[in-house]
Amino acid sequence: MIRDYQAIGRTWFLKGKQRIIPTYGQHKGVKLLGTLNYETGEIVCVEQESFNAGAFLDFLKMILNKYPTGKTVMILDNARIHHAKLIQPFLEKNKDRIELVFLPPYSPQLNLMEGVW
């Protein structure tokens, strides 16, 4: 998710010269699901209304349609939606076409998609 969060942590001004910095409190965000093809550098990304197992299942189906031959290996973080019971039958049915590999917990530096946005 990419957030438009305009909170100010801290700042400084000369005494008597403090400025008012407006924030708008909207806290809007965009929910994105995406993959990076390590061989070609191609990024496939879709915006979703919600970030849940159903949206992830739809994304997996889209990826298999995008890459209709061969096996796709997806390297993922450990978000709950990536392990959801809802996607297990799909993964079992398509085990010759798609495999999910999970990064160690709390290791965003290993996830190349974290730096794409």
Side-chain angles (χ1 to χ4, degrees):
M1 170 173 293
I2 299 172
R3 294 185 188 267
D4 178 18
Y5 186 70
Q6 301 154 348
I8 298 173
R10 45 179 96 118
T11 187
W12 66 271
F13 297 98
L14 294 173
K15 190 172 183 176
K17 303 284 185 181
Q18 290 89 349
R19 294 174 53 205
I20 296 174
I21 301 171
T23 60
Y24 302 101
Q26 300 278 327
H27 302 297
K28 292 183 180 181
V30 177
K31 296 170 180 78
L32 301 172
L33 291 169
T35 62
L36 169 65
N37 184 323
Y38 290 132
E39 290 180 347
T40 67
E42 178 185 22
I43 294 172
V44 177
C45 185
V46 294
E47 183 176 344
Q48 296 287 348
E49 286 294 318
S50 58
F51 196 61
N52 58 29
F56 184 57
L57 178 59
D58 290 343
F59 182 70
L60 293 175
K61 291 175 183 177
M62 186 200 71
I63 292 299
L64 288 187
N65 286 331
K66 172 101 174 120
Y67 301 104
T69 61
K71 185 166 187 173
T72 297
V73 177
M74 293 182 79
I75 300 172
L76 303 163
D77 61 18
N78 283 282
R80 285 188 286 179
I81 66 169
H82 299 153
H83 297 278
K85 290 179 184 178
L86 178 69
I87 67 169
Q88 298 310 315
F90 175 82
L91 293 174
E92 183 60 32
K93 179 181 174 188
N94 294 285
K95 64 184 174 187
D96 59 328
R97 296 273 337 277
I98 192 163
E99 180 181 351
L100 306 184
V101 176
F102 296 97
L103 292 170
Y106 307 104
S107 58
Q109 74 280 4
L110 299 177
N111 186 346
L112 296 181
M113 280 303 286
E114 293 287 338
V116 169
W117 317 116

